[in-house]
Amino acid sequence: MFLKVHQLPDSVLKKPAQSVRPEDLHLQTLIDQMFATMDHHTRCVGLAAPQVGKSLRVIVVDASRVDRPGSNHGRLVLMNPSITLRGHPRLLREGCLSIPDYTGNVLRDDSVEVVGLDRKGKPLKISAHGFEAVIFQHEVDHLDGKMFLDRVASLETDVFRRKNYG
C-alpha cells in the first residue's frame, strides 16, 4: 500500500524529524509503505518519512531507478542517517515529489559518506558519488526540515516550472 505524499506548505515538511529506535515494530511497516510509495511514482529515487507525514528519521533510496552517472547501491533503508563527509560542490537541477510543479538549481556535493542504521538496526556506512550522493543529501535535508527551495540561491532565477509531458 502506498502512502499520500505531503506537499508544501504542509508543516511536517518544515520541522526536524525525530530519531527512531530500530526495535520499533511499526518502522518495518512504514519502510514497506515508503518503498511502495516510491515504486508508485515512476521516477522517484528517494523518499523521506516526513514526505509521507511521519516526522521520523527514516529514508529509502534507490539510484538504480534512473540511468544517471554515479554509484548505485540499489534499494537502501537508512534510519537516523547523517552525512559525515562531503566532496566538491556542483550546481545541478533538482526536483521533489513534495514540490511537484517546480525544479531548481541547487548546490550539492559530488560525493558523500553517509552513516546510519540499516533496516535491521545494524550500523551502515555508504560512500556515494554522482547522482546517488545528491539523493542522499536531498533526503537527509528532508529529515532536517529543509526543502530544495531552501537551497536555491535565488527564487527568481534558480526555480523553474516543471515541464508537463502528459
Side-chain angles (χ1 to χ4, degrees):
M1 174 178 95
F2 66 90
L3 302 169
K4 173 189 170 203
V5 175
H6 292 243
Q7 298 177 355
L8 275 184
D10 194 312
S11 63
V12 72
L13 298 169
K14 296 302 285 177
K15 66 181 184 178
Q18 298 296 311
S19 293
V20 297
R21 297 177 58 160
E23 60 273 9
D24 181 349
L25 297 177
H26 294 100
L27 284 178
Q28 298 305 316
T29 301
L30 174 63
I31 290 165
D32 290 340
Q33 291 172 330
M34 288 174 67
F35 274 125
T37 304
M38 186 170 71
D39 292 342
H40 178 74
H41 296 277
T42 312
R43 300 212 22 104
C44 181
V45 292
L47 196 63
Q51 290 181 273
V52 294
K54 305 292 183 189
S55 190
L56 301 170
R57 294 190 73 80
V58 178
I59 63 173
V60 295
V61 171
D62 187 357
S64 72
R65 292 175 53 90
V66 297
D67 185 21
R68 295 273 181 90
S71 56
N72 178 352
H73 290 88
R75 289 170 80 87
L76 294 170
V77 174
L78 273 175
M79 295 184 278
N80 303 327
S82 62
I83 297 173
T84 57
L85 192 63
R86 295 176 178 271
H88 302 288
R90 62 186 175 104
L91 193 66
L92 53 90
R93 186 75 59 92
E94 195 168 304
C96 181
L97 285 178
S98 294
I99 310 171
D101 298 328
Y102 295 93
T103 61
N105 292 331
V106 181
L107 203 58
R108 295 285 190 190
D109 294 296
D110 62 3
S111 62
V112 294
E113 186 173 275
V114 186
V115 297
L117 302 173
D118 71 9
R119 186 173 192 150
K120 295 178 182 174
K122 298 201 183 316
L124 184 62
K125 178 165 67 170
I126 296 169
S127 294
H129 66 277
F131 186 61
E132 190 175 49
V134 171
I135 299 168
F136 279 113
Q137 292 167 83
H138 180 103
E139 301 311 330
V140 170
D141 269 359
H142 275 300
L143 302 181
D144 295 333
K146 293 192 182 316
M147 307 290 286
F148 80 83
L149 291 178
D150 297 320
R151 297 218 178 263
V152 297
S154 166
L155 290 175
E156 291 179 1
T157 61
D158 290 318
V159 177
F160 309 92
R161 184 165 277 293
R162 189 182 292 268
K163 292 182 174 127
N164 183 355
Y165 298 103

